[in-house]
Amino acid sequence: MTLSATAAVTPDQAVLVDLPSNRVPEGARPGYFRTEDNVRLRYATWPRAAEGHKGTVCLVHGRTEFIEKYFETIEDFRRRGFAVATFDWRGQGGSERLIGHPHHGHVERFEDFWLDLKSFHRQILLPECPPPFYLVGHSMGGLASLFAAANDRMMFDRVFLSAPMIWLPNQPLPPAGMAFFTRALGFLGLSQMPVSRPADRPPSRQAFEGNPLTSDLERYMRTVDVYAARPELEVSVPTLGWAAAAMTAMAEVARDDFPARIRVPVLMLAAACDRVVASAATEQLGLRMRTGRHVVIPGARHELFMETDAIRAQVFAAFDAFVTEQSE
């Protein structure tokens, strides 16, 4: 089926895909900014859609994800009185690619995501968005958010994480061992080689049955529709370089001294039926953190914000108790 798409465009030609199945929320201001190391990233901001002044939700995505995937969730935050600011990580979505193959997810080191977030905070959040700032991160974005909480306790008042990528299921070695092994392969010149697992299958109507991401067909198909309208947004399998960067970051989180570095209130949600990340690792970290805790959402798959209404209601009840009610 051919999909017609319109676009919200700024003078520098940043585009948000607007589809009948996935409308751009009103008031969008998309654009580009450059990180401190000169990588061009696509971003968008929205004003609040309700009375009151609650601050800004800074929303950071998981691997392969993009701004358009979160339109419904952005509206949920705006209706609660929050402005929203979000961006596409380097190497995915509408941001600059780092290697010649545009559909392979790649990063040289996980610290580069911290650089993306720092640059966004300095260039977009501070000058353009109302404080206080609340960081909401999903999956890979959740792992990056933990490092933000550990590196700078002044950037965000609270951190809310959805199925954070603290560890991956069915790995043959513990975190430190996997980090060493994947880095060693990178030193052999294999860092741009693609690697894959069943959870990395590209979305399609045929792939919905039994998929590890969500049990909600309509929300699942929004990603399929956006890819059909704008194929260049798609990122499929990660590279070995991405895997080495991620394993190294997860190994650092697994260290005994990491939880004490986090001095910002953190709430982590784990999906009980997650096959993409290891929910048990989220529970273990939650028990080790002084300023954080965790909640397990029963019956949920990995993408908590893309799940059924009943599961999303639990997610937003947790968000309201942890953020919304604290901002009033």
Side-chain angles (χ1 to χ4, degrees):
M1 179 177 69
T2 302
L3 294 172
S4 60
T6 59
V9 185
T10 56
D12 58 356
Q13 299 300 304
V15 174
L16 295 176
V17 178
D18 184 20
L19 300 172
S21 60
N22 194 47
R23 291 296 186 189
V24 177
E26 184 179 353
R29 296 183 59 190
Y32 292 107
F33 72 100
R34 287 196 173 271
T35 63
E36 295 172 19
D37 60 342
N38 203 34
V39 178
R40 191 175 81 155
L41 306 185
R42 185 181 67 151
Y43 79 96
T45 63
W46 281 266
R48 67 181 187 270
E51 294 298 322
H53 176 81
K54 292 189 171 68
T56 300
V57 166
C58 177
L59 176 63
V60 292
H61 318 144
R63 194 190 78 80
T64 79
E65 295 187 321
F66 46 88
I67 294 170
E68 286 86 348
K69 186 170 180 175
Y70 283 87
F71 284 167
E72 179 186 20
T73 299
I74 288 166
E75 277 291 83
D76 289 325
F77 290 133
R78 295 180 67 227
R79 283 194 294 268
R80 284 166 165 78
F82 295 95
V84 179
T86 187
F87 66 93
D88 291 334
W89 296 113
R90 64 180 64 205
Q92 64 187 56
S95 292
E96 185 176 341
R97 298 298 191 262
L98 306 177
I99 58 174
H101 198 301
H103 297 308
H104 289 172
H106 181 75
V107 72
E108 293 295 332
R109 36 179 217 149
F110 205 84
E111 291 86 347
D112 290 342
F113 294 133
W114 164 235
L115 186 60
D116 290 351
L117 183 55
K118 277 198 305 181
S119 300
F120 185 65
H121 184 272
R122 179 174 60 84
Q123 297 183 46
I124 307 300
L125 279 179
L126 286 176
E128 297 186 16
C129 301
F133 303 128
Y134 303 100
L135 184 58
V136 176
H138 172 66
S139 194
M140 185 191 82
L143 179 59
S145 297
L146 284 173
F147 281 98
N151 293 340
D152 189 340
R153 65 186 181 91
M154 303 302 293
M155 286 177 69
F156 299 99
D157 280 41
R158 289 179 175 246
V159 178
F160 181 86
L161 305 182
S162 157
M165 191 183 74
I166 296 170
W167 189 234
L168 306 178
N170 304 317
Q171 298 303 307
L173 297 171
M178 288 301 299
F180 177 83
F181 177 69
T182 51
R183 287 199 306 267
L185 292 177
F187 290 144
L188 297 175
L190 303 176
S191 65
Q192 295 188 20
M193 182 181 74
V195 294
S196 64
R197 55 186 181 144
D200 296 320
R201 288 179 63 190
S204 67
R205 183 174 289 275
Q206 294 74 25
F208 173 75
E209 188 68 30
N211 82 87
L213 304 178
T214 174
S215 53
D216 190 284
L217 175 60
E218 180 180 350
R219 293 185 173 103
Y220 178 91
M221 288 301 298
R222 289 174 188 164
T223 298
V224 178
D225 291 347
V226 172
Y227 283 163
R230 195 172 171 197
E232 64 270 24
L233 292 178
E234 182 177 357
V235 169
S236 54
V237 299
T239 64
L240 185 59
W242 181 93
M247 291 293 180
T248 301
M250 289 186 284
E252 185 172 348
V253 171
R255 288 169 52 98
D256 291 340
D257 60 349
F258 184 82
R261 292 169 51 190
I262 298 178
R263 290 174 290 169
V264 179
V266 176
L267 177 60
M268 302 181 292
L269 302 191
C273 300
D274 206 327
R275 306 199 315 266
V276 178
V277 304
S279 292
T282 300
E283 297 180 67
Q284 291 163 10
L285 180 61
L287 294 172
R288 294 163 56 210
M289 290 172 61
R290 297 174 184 173
T291 61
R293 58 191 179 92
H294 70 279
V295 174
V296 179
I297 306 297
R301 301 184 198 180
H302 179 61
E303 294 185 349
L304 291 169
F305 286 117
M306 311 300 157
E307 262 288 6
T308 63
D309 290 347
I311 290 173
R312 292 181 87 250
Q314 296 177 66
V315 172
F316 277 100
F319 176 83
D320 289 338
F322 183 66
V323 177
T324 307
E325 294 170 9
Q326 305 302 317
S327 65
E328 295 176 346

